[in-house]
Amino acid sequence: MSDMIALGNAGAAIRKANDEGRAALVAYLPAGYPTYDGGVDALKALVDGGADVIEIGLPYSDPVMDGVTVQRATEKARANGLRTKDVLRTVEAVAATGIPTLVMTYWNPIERYGAHAFARDLAAAGGAGLITPDLIPDEDAEWNAAADKENLDKVYLVSPSSTDKRIALTTQACRGFVYATAVMGVTGAREVTSELAPVLVARTKATTDLPVGVGLGVSNADQAAQIASYADAVIVGSAFVKVLEAGAGPAGVRSLTESLAEGVRREPRTTAAR
């Protein structure tokens, strides 16, 4: 696999940011929250605020790895009647901005939709790829083939509990970037970032040349700056959902994005940070 193929669309955007001397900002919101149109507007506000890569959550009925903030948002989206086809329409609207746009989803909805059909429709919508928190490379033969056919990014997760062997297996299967979960447990903004994150990033980088993004827990510019000093990308999700939950709307989302974008630019990076 060539370097450019392995980087994919999202990885190329992250490397572009790194070449500018900074970490990239990867921003997440679920589709359809607080409404379908409101969700699209909020996601576009992430772009306007300076996010380099967008993650769109596909609401699911059993989000066991999500914290309560994201769970409430996805439950509302589902209650409003959001379906997978609506998520794909959301992807199309956001990808039209030119920013790499991935879907983050549990595997069950993709299995029901059909892996090859979803890959086809995601690519047709302009999507960059898929982040699959509950799918491990050992079990991804169907998605691997479907994603390769459509040249989609395949982003898998590593965590502090991952063995070195598991990290190596995971990074070898990735295309785009590697998602390092900085803390153990479910998603959610936290007051402090995990002390395990720098060690996990170093262990992951020892196995791959792909960018490594750190997620789970980032809620402000200071935390973003801290993580940007050692990670290629800073991933933020629950903090944006909280802004919408508080009623601040797309304007509030854009304001937080701008603050976080300043955070990832605060400390100059060198190529050695890779």
Side-chain angles (χ1 to χ4, degrees):
M1 186 183 296
S2 73
D3 290 344
M4 288 308 297
I5 291 175
L7 274 177
N9 294 311
I14 294 171
R15 277 291 177 243
K16 180 176 182 294
N18 298 161
D19 289 342
E20 294 171 359
R22 64 178 179 88
L25 176 61
V26 179
Y28 163 94
L29 277 172
Y33 181 74
T35 63
Y36 174 79
D37 290 334
V40 171
D41 290 343
L43 284 155
K44 288 182 176 179
L46 296 172
V47 176
D48 294 340
D52 299 287
V53 176
I54 302 298
E55 296 179 13
I56 298 178
L58 193 161
Y60 176 52
S61 59
D62 189 25
V64 294
M65 297 175 68
D66 292 327
V68 293
T69 300
V70 173
Q71 283 190 23
R72 284 195 297 263
T74 56
E75 285 170 2
K76 182 170 183 179
R78 285 174 51 80
N80 289 341
L82 191 82
R83 297 293 181 264
T84 301
K85 64 180 181 180
D86 302 313
V87 177
L88 291 167
R89 287 199 297 130
T90 300
V91 170
E92 186 172 23
V94 178
T97 65
I99 298 297
T101 303
L102 300 99
V103 170
M104 186 168 190
T105 178
Y106 294 92
W107 181 243
N108 188 264
I110 308 306
E111 190 171 47
R112 289 204 308 264
Y113 196 99
H116 286 273
F118 188 84
R120 177 199 65 213
D121 293 350
L122 179 59
L130 202 64
I131 303 169
T132 49
D134 65 338
L135 182 68
I136 59 176
D138 319 50
E139 301 172 352
D140 85 330
E142 187 177 12
W143 173 246
N144 185 63
D148 286 351
K149 181 179 179 180
E150 302 295 345
N151 196 30
L152 294 170
D153 292 355
K154 300 173 290 186
V155 181
Y156 297 104
L157 278 64
V158 295
S159 74
S161 64
S162 300
T163 64
D164 290 342
K165 181 178 180 180
R166 170 57 60 184
I167 289 175
L169 178 66
T170 301
T171 59
Q172 288 167 14
C174 285
R175 178 166 56 234
F177 65 98
V178 184
Y179 194 127
T181 58
V183 294
M184 302 297 288
V186 298
T187 63
R190 290 169 169 82
E191 295 299 321
V192 294
T193 57
S194 171
E195 295 179 355
L196 299 175
V199 176
L200 176 60
V201 170
R203 292 174 62 208
T204 304
K205 284 178 172 291
T207 70
T208 184
D209 291 328
L210 286 176
V212 180
V214 170
L216 296 184
V218 178
S219 60
N220 58 57
D222 289 342
Q223 291 177 343
Q226 179 185 354
I227 291 174
S229 68
Y230 59 83
D232 300 307
V234 179
I235 305 170
V236 185
S238 295
F240 292 122
V241 180
K242 285 187 174 181
V243 168
L244 292 178
E245 192 174 48
V253 168
R254 176 169 179 166
S255 178
L256 177 57
T257 309
E258 290 172 344
S259 176
L260 292 165
E262 179 276 322
V264 301
R265 289 167 170 80
R266 189 177 299 169
E267 297 295 332
R269 282 170 54 93
T270 66
T271 53
R274 295 184 185 177

